Amino acid sequence: MISKSFIKFIILLLIVWFTIIGYLNIKHPDQQWNWDKINTEKMFFPENFIWGTSTAAHQVEGNNTNNNWYEWENSLNQNGKSNIHNNDKSGEAANHWDMYRDDISLMKELGVNAYRFSVEWSKIVPKEGLIDENALDHYRDVCIALIDSGLTPVVTLHHFTNPIWFEKLGGFEKEENIDHFIEFSEIVFNHLSDIVKYWCTINEPAVYVSQGYFYGVFPPGKKDPKLAGIVMRNLLFTHIKAFHHLKGLENGEIAQIGLVKNITQFDPLRRWHLLDWYFSKILNDIFTNSTIDLFLNGKFNFYLPGMVNISDSNSNAIGSADFIGLNYYSRWHVKGHLSPTSPFTFEKRKQDIQTDMPYSIYPEGFYKALNDISKLNIPIIVTENGIADDKDDRRETFINRYLYALNKSIDDGMDIQGYFYWSLMDNFEWAEGYSMKFGLYEVDFNTQIRKLRNGSLAFKRAINRNGYDERGYIVSIGDTAPDLSLDLINDTNVQLSDYLGKVVVLQFTASWCSVCIREMPHLENDVWQKFKNDDFVLIGIDRDEPIQVVKAFKRKTGITYPIALDPGAKHFSKFAHVNAGITRNVVIDKNGKIVFLTRLFDEQEFQKMIEKIKKII
Ligand code: BGC
């Protein structure tokens, strides 16, 4: 007989379970956009946006025989099998070392304006204390060739590989080894910083650690959660030290130095199962949140229940990046188990479009990752995003959808300065060898001939799109501005048509938009204070926020020009699609004609706008 109190207990348990699950589902919804209704051809990016492709030395250069990956490729695992799929070796790779000039031509053909690549530590410092000047000069030549072709070089100092001598000393497992990397960084920085502005210190600490120390599929092939935590801490602390060190060198002040963070989200496979939620949270914390927290408050935590619990702090972490590089590919679905030896596994869902890697196409996750990383409140550069697609039958969809997510984030006001596609061409995909085809260009590794894939044309189209500077407006320069009835927050109502005979600037803004907030002091000082005595009106139009919020926002930004309300983005939608991002200024001349349209804060464009106002006032 089951007792009544037992039944009550079970009912109570179910109520608690489903209340928590309901809360979690509301707080962290599984975002899925309706792609049938989305037009990915209508995307406009800021005029000075950085567009590029990414590679890493060991994956493309060829002839890297002096690093830990070379050893790894040439050794066998416990089962006597190669550590690399298909027994591949990086070997000649794409021979980018010799063919970089040809590859720069490929970049020109795409229409990009930047290139992210890594310098190979083991080539520059082949033995402890020995510097190979020729290798340094080679990278300088690459940078000069890029600059001569109108491309901005972005240099990564560490992309997964260590010189053998450094690995023998214990690599990043030992805190005292950090200084070897700092010395190397200084050597490269001193050699290139007069011509290189953008620097990435370390590529994806969390991936290096999970693959090399948790799953054991990257060198040194260990499966040791505690050591994983130590290496994670050391890599992040290395970044912090390198950042401050390089900033103190000549050209340090003008350099933009950042860390490259991979965000892979962990989502519950069964959205009704607490264990799946629990392990998703643990994994998100360890993989991503621990890094964000370190930058925000100087605290480092690395916790996996029953396996490892490391806490540390580093007050130099706060402010230790000029930008954050974001690498985003996909998410993982987590299934929790009541097993101490295998507490979680990852599973694919049937409904997802898969790529050749175990990643599904999930642009909504890219949008979320951009949102999450923007908590750092520093500029974001997407340093990697791409698809392995041998058949080339999903590349176009991937590109269009991920660029849509990028565009939406920019429209929301996130400070995203650039996007680098991974990768320029097919390359050595680490433990997967040559089986994964990430290239915009297909490489025939026998002949080294490169060929643009059809699916890659989507990238070319998006970054070279006509009407680039129209910025997603539905009005154009020369149109008569629509009349608006504006409710100002001081309880007056004005008609836009009342201002015929004056120059009018409308600023579309909102309190949650960081780019708007950056823009407002300029509008106040360089526009409103300069022109307000002439035949000139500047009105901020705050999107869809209640009057108290708008009043507080006005107080906070200290602006003195009038602000109007815009419930339901009614006014805004006369200028751009209702769901498009704000951060727009519209200049209207004395005859009511639109003469200038801006999108997002941009110094140069701001100056152009001021010149325009001066001319027509
Ligand atoms: C790495 C690249 C790699 C890419 C695709 C990133 O995590 O930085 O080196 O090729 O993912 O898997």
Side-chain angles (χ1 to χ4, degrees), residues 168-237:
K168 286 219 171 97
L169 291 176
F172 289 101
E173 292 170 21
K174 300 214 174 109
E175 196 175 349
E176 63 265 29
N177 289 345
I178 291 178
D179 282 341
H180 290 292
F181 180 77
I182 304 296
E183 273 166 37
F184 158 69
S185 307
E186 178 173 336
I187 293 165
V188 182
F189 196 82
N190 282 342
H191 208 77
L192 301 179
S193 64
D194 58 329
I195 52 173
V196 173
K197 177 175 169 196
Y198 291 95
W199 295 84
C200 304
T201 52
I202 296 182
N203 184 69
E204 303 185 337
V207 173
Y208 179 97
V209 162
S210 62
Q211 305 302 87
Y213 289 90
F214 200 81
Y215 291 111
V217 292
F218 281 16
K222 298 189 180 170
K223 294 183 183 172
D224 181 341
K226 276 206 186 99
L227 197 53
I230 292 169
V231 176
M232 182 76 183
R233 168 199 173 277
N234 287 348
L235 281 172
L236 291 171
F237 284 20

Side-chain angles (χ1 to χ4, degrees), residues 56 59 116 159-160 203-204 207 262 327 329 357 359 384 422 427-430 438:
Q59 295 180 271
R116 171 178 173 242
H159 197 123
F160 293 168
N203 184 69
E204 303 185 337
V207 173
N262 175 300
N327 290 359
Y329 290 88
M357 287 291 272
Y359 311 147
E384 283 180 37
W422 183 274
N427 56 49
F428 179 75
E429 177 51 34
W430 307 113
F438 274 97

Side-chain angles (χ1 to χ4, degrees), residues 172-448:
F172 289 101
E173 292 170 21
K174 300 214 174 109
E175 196 175 349
E176 63 265 29
N177 289 345
I178 291 178
D179 282 341
H180 290 292
F181 180 77
I182 304 296
E183 273 166 37
F184 158 69
S185 307
E186 178 173 336
I187 293 165
V188 182
F189 196 82
N190 282 342
H191 208 77
L192 301 179
S193 64
D194 58 329
I195 52 173
V196 173
K197 177 175 169 196
Y198 291 95
W199 295 84
C200 304
T201 52
I202 296 182
N203 184 69
E204 303 185 337
V207 173
Y208 179 97
V209 162
S210 62
Q211 305 302 87
Y213 289 90
F214 200 81
Y215 291 111
V217 292
F218 281 16
K222 298 189 180 170
K223 294 183 183 172
D224 181 341
K226 276 206 186 99
L227 197 53
I230 292 169
V231 176
M232 182 76 183
R233 168 199 173 277
N234 287 348
L235 281 172
L236 291 171
F237 284 20
T238 301
H239 159 80
I240 296 164
K241 197 161 185 187
F243 174 85
H244 291 294
H245 188 74
L246 300 182
K247 279 288 182 189
L249 300 178
E250 196 180 342
N251 300 319
E253 265 173 36
I254 47 170
Q256 293 291 297
I257 305 173
L259 174 80
V260 172
K261 171 80 196 98
N262 175 300
I263 293 192
T264 300
Q265 292 109 355
F266 297 92
D267 282 348
L269 179 73
R270 300 161 296 183
R271 297 190 65 83
W272 52 268
H273 205 300
L274 280 181
L275 218 50
D276 296 11
W277 280 97
Y278 175 70
F279 281 108
S280 301
K281 170 160 174 34
I282 292 283
L283 291 167
N284 283 322
D285 281 352
I286 207 165
F287 199 86
T288 294
N289 300 336
S290 60
T291 304
I292 295 182
D293 287 350
L294 177 65
F295 278 105
L296 288 179
N297 56 37
K299 301 256 179 305
F300 173 74
N301 289 301
F302 194 89
Y303 170 64
L304 270 176
M307 295 187 208
V308 48
N309 190 1
I310 298 177
S311 294
D312 206 338
S313 63
N314 185 334
S315 54
N316 292 333
I318 301 164
S320 70
D322 295 314
F323 69 89
I324 186 79
L326 172 69
N327 290 359
Y328 187 87
Y329 290 88
S330 186
R331 64 170 163 179
W332 294 83
H333 283 104
V334 180
K335 192 173 182 182
H337 306 280
L338 287 171
S339 146
T341 49
S342 170
F344 54 84
T345 48
F346 302 121
E347 294 201 9
K348 286 185 187 167
R349 304 187 316 170
K350 278 206 196 83
Q351 65 265 44
D352 295 334
I353 309 176
Q354 298 299 332
T355 70
D356 295 350
M357 287 291 272
Y359 311 147
S360 58
I361 296 189
Y362 190 53
E364 295 88 340
F366 182 32
Y367 177 68
K368 183 170 183 308
L370 284 162
N371 238 299
D372 289 346
I373 205 76
S374 61
K375 275 189 217 146
L376 291 178
N377 231 340
I378 49 177
I380 302 166
I381 297 179
V382 178
T383 32
E384 283 180 37
N385 174 233
I387 180 174
D389 176 17
D390 193 14
K391 291 195 195 128
D392 196 33
D393 56 1
R394 289 145 292 167
R395 191 167 273 103
E396 181 177 355
T397 304
F398 179 96
I399 291 171
N400 284 337
R401 293 187 179 178
Y402 277 75
L403 287 186
Y404 173 81
L406 174 75
N407 194 252
K408 191 170 158 63
S409 314
I410 295 173
D411 277 358
D412 283 356
M414 288 180 219
D415 188 1
I416 305 169
Q417 302 195 343
Y419 173 96
F420 289 77
Y421 188 85
W422 183 274
S423 178
L424 173 66
M425 58 199 160
D426 291 341
N427 56 49
F428 179 75
E429 177 51 34
W430 307 113
E432 298 301 326
Y434 286 104
S435 59
M436 292 296 152
K437 308 294 183 189
F438 274 97
L440 288 171
Y441 287 87
E442 181 182 354
V443 177
D444 177 332
F445 289 101
N446 293 316
T447 59
Q448 294 295 2

